[in-house]
Amino acid sequence: MARYVFITGGVVSSLGKGLASAALGSLLQARGFSVRLRKLDPYLNVDPGTMSPFEHGEVFVTDDGAETDLDLGHYERFTGVPARMTDSVSSGRVYSTVLEKERRGDYLGKTIQVVPHVTNEIKEFLHVGEDEVDFMLCEIGGTVGDIEGLPFFEAIRQFSHDKPRGECIFMHLTLLPYLAASGELKTKPTQHSVKELQSIGIAPDILVCRSEHPIPDKEREKIALFCNVRKDAVVAAYDLKSIYEAPLAYHEQGLDQAVLDAFNISPAPKPDLRIWNDVSDRIHHTDGEVNVAIVGKYTQLEDAYKSFKEALTHGGMANRVKVNVSWVDAEVFDSEDAAPHLEGYHAILVPGGFGERGTEGKIKAAEFARTRKIPYFGICLGMQMAVIEAARNVAGISTAGSEEFDHEAGGKRFEPVVYHLKEWVQGNAKVKRKTGDDKGGTMRLGSYDATLTEGSKVAEIYGTTSIEERHRHRYEVDTKYRAQLEEGGMIFSGMSPDGKLPEIVEWTDHPWFIGVQFHPELKSKPFAPHPLFADFVRAAVEASRLV
Ligand code: GLN
């Protein structure tokens, strides 16, 4: 039966709860335990799938096709444990389940209330898979005191009360602000935040205190005394050069030891930190750097492209180079020459995206990369843009475009080389969609197999001809144009196993030009960089030597 660690936050948001949870997960693994990480989000959206990336950052897709919070990406990148649909829940999901049950009459005429019906539903979610791992780490989104978070806090309080003593602990993240005028770290906000937590019946076992300055012993003692935690359970979290230093930094500060102590696990198994030592070595000892442009639409908010940036960092680690990422807004050169905006980069990545805005600029970026022989990595929408560019400028289909843009604008302006996919095969089942379907959860989502062409560049990079990758899209490249495109030199080197859906395209007479319909960035880890990202960065290094 799993032991539970509940992770909450106070004082301010964005303290790095997700990162602390992920780092703790990796440290428990290093001590030989199995872990699963979970996120409970208080917002009322059923999942983040329909939220704008500006609102919520990237949507992280799991193998089993859930659209989840980007923190699940952190969890996977640090622990390597593939997240599942059941690892992410929002108030919206909980309420919609409760209301469905109410309509079905499952509650036998009772009055439906937040306590116990909503809290029971949350507790049920927490129990899923509890006999599979040693530790379940559950992060509560938001900050203690938020109105919408209350049912979750009540649910975890009850959950720990229901469980035998010693099977659940609470870890709370806070901030110690520094007052430059008096040269002091202030502990009062932490005390208030813990008080708030205690007022709803939760007494933290561990406090993780974010601080820009070293925490003096005296302050640590004060926090321990007034917040009623042991002194060695007051763990400092300092700013880091790279998020991948977090496991080692938290270990040095004693976080994993404090957790094991709180559970009375003694003697504590010794940690094997070789993986993280190697990762740290690769961050600190690089040989050269490359400049990569991410040409997208949501460039003002880095979180919108979180996994792309991380996967590029991993690619850099694989090659021991530093990857400098520049965010280039494609819309800027929608109607002007792209060259001045793209010259000087060693490689170009066009990530996923939705809607027409900025697509002409992305098509120009694909053309620029193709004709200048600059490494190009097109992911999902980025592959579709590369195909449209090839269709227009090489295969002579001058009005080539995507049905997505016609749907959006109404009317028919484009020859649809990228069309709306309405029927496909998932495992042994057929999936069907209509144009007017709901926006939420109706895409081709989750892990699908692909078969690669023997001798192609991608088969060489993967070192195999059968792969599994995660998807999140509605539109698909039409095989109707395959012969024309392949004649021009763009080959379809990866297909769905039934041969119907193009998964990968590549230009044969180019040093590195690959478009993929799936999202390889979601599966990359610092200790296991995704092969496509590792090779893309290698190609960028080569390109940098030619300049
Ligand atoms: N908008 C495109 C589609 O739905 C691409 C989606 C994406 O890049 N994730 O097919």
Side-chain angles (χ1 to χ4, degrees):
M1 206 52 94
R3 294 178 171 93
Y4 280 76
V5 182
F6 292 106
I7 298 121
T8 58
V11 184
V12 293
S13 58
S14 308
L15 282 178
K17 271 196 315 262
L19 185 58
S21 311
L24 175 60
S26 69
L27 289 174
L28 291 170
Q29 283 179 319
R31 296 209 187 232
F33 297 107
S34 59
V35 298
R36 178 159 288 286
L37 285 102
R38 245 168 218 175
K39 179 81 194 276
L40 297 88
D41 273 309
Y43 52 71
L44 280 173
N45 303 64
V46 171
D47 63 39
T50 53
M51 281 194 225
S52 156
F54 288 123
E55 283 286 318
H56 192 261
E58 136 189 302
V59 171
F60 190 81
V61 181
T62 59
D63 279 332
D64 57 2
E67 297 176 278
T68 70
D69 187 84
L70 53 76
D71 273 324
L72 272 80
H74 276 319
Y75 303 164
E76 272 203 40
R77 282 188 282 274
F78 281 81
T79 63
V81 176
R84 297 181 192 153
M85 199 171 273
T86 46
D87 292 331
S88 163
V89 78
S90 65
S91 291
R93 162 90 56 210
V94 172
Y95 277 97
S96 93
T97 312
V98 168
L99 292 177
E100 249 170 57
K101 287 188 179 170
E102 188 272 339
R103 291 290 83 186
R104 267 205 315 259
D106 290 6
Y107 298 115
L108 306 173
K110 286 257 179 325
T111 307
I112 310 309
Q113 294 176 303
V114 173
V115 184
H117 300 97
V118 169
T119 44
N120 281 352
E121 199 59 47
I122 298 171
K123 288 200 290 188
E124 229 159 85
F125 161 81
L126 291 170
H127 280 295
V128 175
E130 65 188 336
D131 44 7
E132 288 174 23
V133 288
D134 300 320
F135 285 96
M136 195 76 91
L137 312 188
C138 305
E139 178 192 348
I140 318 294
T143 310
V144 61
D146 295 347
I147 292 175
E148 55 267 46
L150 275 174
F152 286 105
F153 283 90
E154 172 62 10
I156 60 173
R157 182 194 69 75
Q158 290 185 10
F159 187 90
S160 82
H161 180 263
D162 298 343
K163 284 265 181 195
R165 191 185 286 276
E167 285 193 10
C168 298
I169 66 164
F170 294 93
M171 167 171 143
H172 190 58
L173 264 84
T174 71
L175 175 73
L176 299 184
Y178 180 73
L179 278 196
S182 58
E184 280 178 321
L185 280 177
K186 304 309 284 183
T187 66
K188 194 70 86 189
T190 297
Q191 295 178 43
H192 279 296
S193 173
V194 169
K195 220 180 194 172
E196 182 84 39
L197 208 52
Q198 284 167 339
S199 75
I200 46 182
I202 295 173
D205 300 280
I206 294 172
L207 286 178
V208 174
C209 301
R210 279 295 297 267
S211 170
E212 284 175 15
H213 295 267
I215 305 177
D217 215 42
K218 196 170 83 346
E219 304 305 317
R220 207 183 283 257
E221 252 163 37
K222 190 165 151 191
I223 295 169
L225 182 64
F226 292 145
C227 299
N228 207 23
V229 295
R230 285 156 185 268
K231 188 175 156 207
D232 48 14
V234 179
V235 177
Y238 301 124
D239 295 347
L240 301 168
K241 179 178 165 209
S242 154
I243 56 169
Y244 299 116
E245 293 174 308
L248 292 181
Y250 273 123
H251 176 67
E252 265 163 43
Q253 295 301 325
L255 177 65
D256 44 335
Q257 187 61 54
V259 168
L260 297 179
D261 287 347
F263 282 114
N264 266 324
I265 297 176
S266 172
K270 289 235 166 331
D272 177 356
L273 295 166
R274 274 174 299 180
I275 287 178
W276 296 106
N277 285 327
D278 179 55
V279 165
S280 164
D281 187 62
R282 286 173 185 274
I283 297 166
H284 291 285
H285 301 102
T286 50
D287 181 15
E289 43 191 88
V290 290
N291 302 324
V292 179
I294 296 189
V295 180
K297 176 163 78 167
Y298 316 109
T299 47
Q300 299 95 312
L301 181 72
E302 287 196 15
D303 267 0
Y305 297 119
K306 184 99 205 144
S307 294
F308 293 100
K309 170 119 191 274
E310 296 310 323
L312 283 171
T313 303
H314 308 160
M317 290 178 182
N319 293 279
R320 281 201 186 267
V321 291
K322 180 163 179 277
V323 179
N324 303 316
V325 172
S326 300
W327 308 95
V328 179
D329 184 356
E331 210 180 349
V332 173
F333 44 89
D334 255 352
S335 51
E336 58 178 84
D337 188 10
H341 301 275
L342 296 175
E343 262 153 7
Y345 292 111
H346 304 127
I348 293 170
L349 186 149
V350 177
F354 293 83
E356 186 172 9
R357 197 160 60 78
T359 50
E360 287 304 321
K362 291 177 189 172
I363 292 168
K364 282 184 192 157
E367 180 182 11
F368 176 85
R370 173 177 63 83
T371 52
R372 301 275 190 107
K373 305 259 187 249
I374 293 168
Y376 176 94
F377 197 178
I379 294 178
C380 209
L381 186 70
M383 161 176 169
Q384 297 173 356
M385 296 303 102
V387 171
I388 291 171
E389 192 277 319
R392 286 186 191 172
N393 301 328
V394 180
I397 309 166
S398 62
T399 58
S402 169
E403 234 183 320
E404 180 171 10
F405 314 147
D406 276 341
H407 279 166
E408 202 176 54
K412 187 165 178 352
R413 294 167 297 156
F414 296 114
E415 168 131 9
V417 295
V418 177
Y419 69 103
H420 188 190
L421 183 71
K422 301 213 180 67
E423 197 178 301
W424 66 90
V425 179
Q426 182 168 33
N428 296 322
K430 249 196 191 145
V431 185
K432 289 191 183 187
R433 297 276 188 261
K434 293 194 290 297
T435 307
D437 277 347
D438 284 351
K439 282 268 187 291
T442 54
M443 283 183 264
R444 186 175 170 228
L445 282 167
S447 188
Y448 283 86
D449 296 340
T451 309
L452 313 185
T453 309
E454 201 107 33
S456 62
K457 185 176 257 135
V458 282
E460 190 191 313
I461 294 171
Y462 273 100
T464 172
T465 54
S466 70
I467 60 165
E468 268 172 48
E469 293 282 4
R470 291 183 197 167
H471 289 247
R472 180 174 184 250
H473 56 109
R474 273 191 193 89
Y475 297 84
E476 200 80 43
V477 171
D478 199 330
T479 48
K480 207 160 63 184
Y481 305 91
R482 180 172 184 173
Q484 255 167 296
L485 288 164
E486 292 202 327
E487 212 163 287
M490 174 180 263
I491 60 161
F492 288 30
S493 50
M495 299 293 290
S496 58
D498 63 4
K500 287 191 179 152
L501 307 175
E503 291 277 3
I504 306 177
V505 296
E506 58 186 76
W507 279 106
T508 46
D509 59 346
H510 192 285
W512 211 102
F513 193 116
I514 292 173
V516 296
Q517 189 55 72
F518 46 82
H519 289 275
E521 75 280 7
L522 302 178
K523 286 180 45 166
S524 189
K525 283 136 201 136
F527 45 83
H530 191 287
L532 285 175
F533 278 90
D535 206 62
F536 177 58
V537 173
R538 184 199 54 73
V541 173
E542 238 161 67
S544 74
R545 295 209 177 105
L546 300 175
V547 185

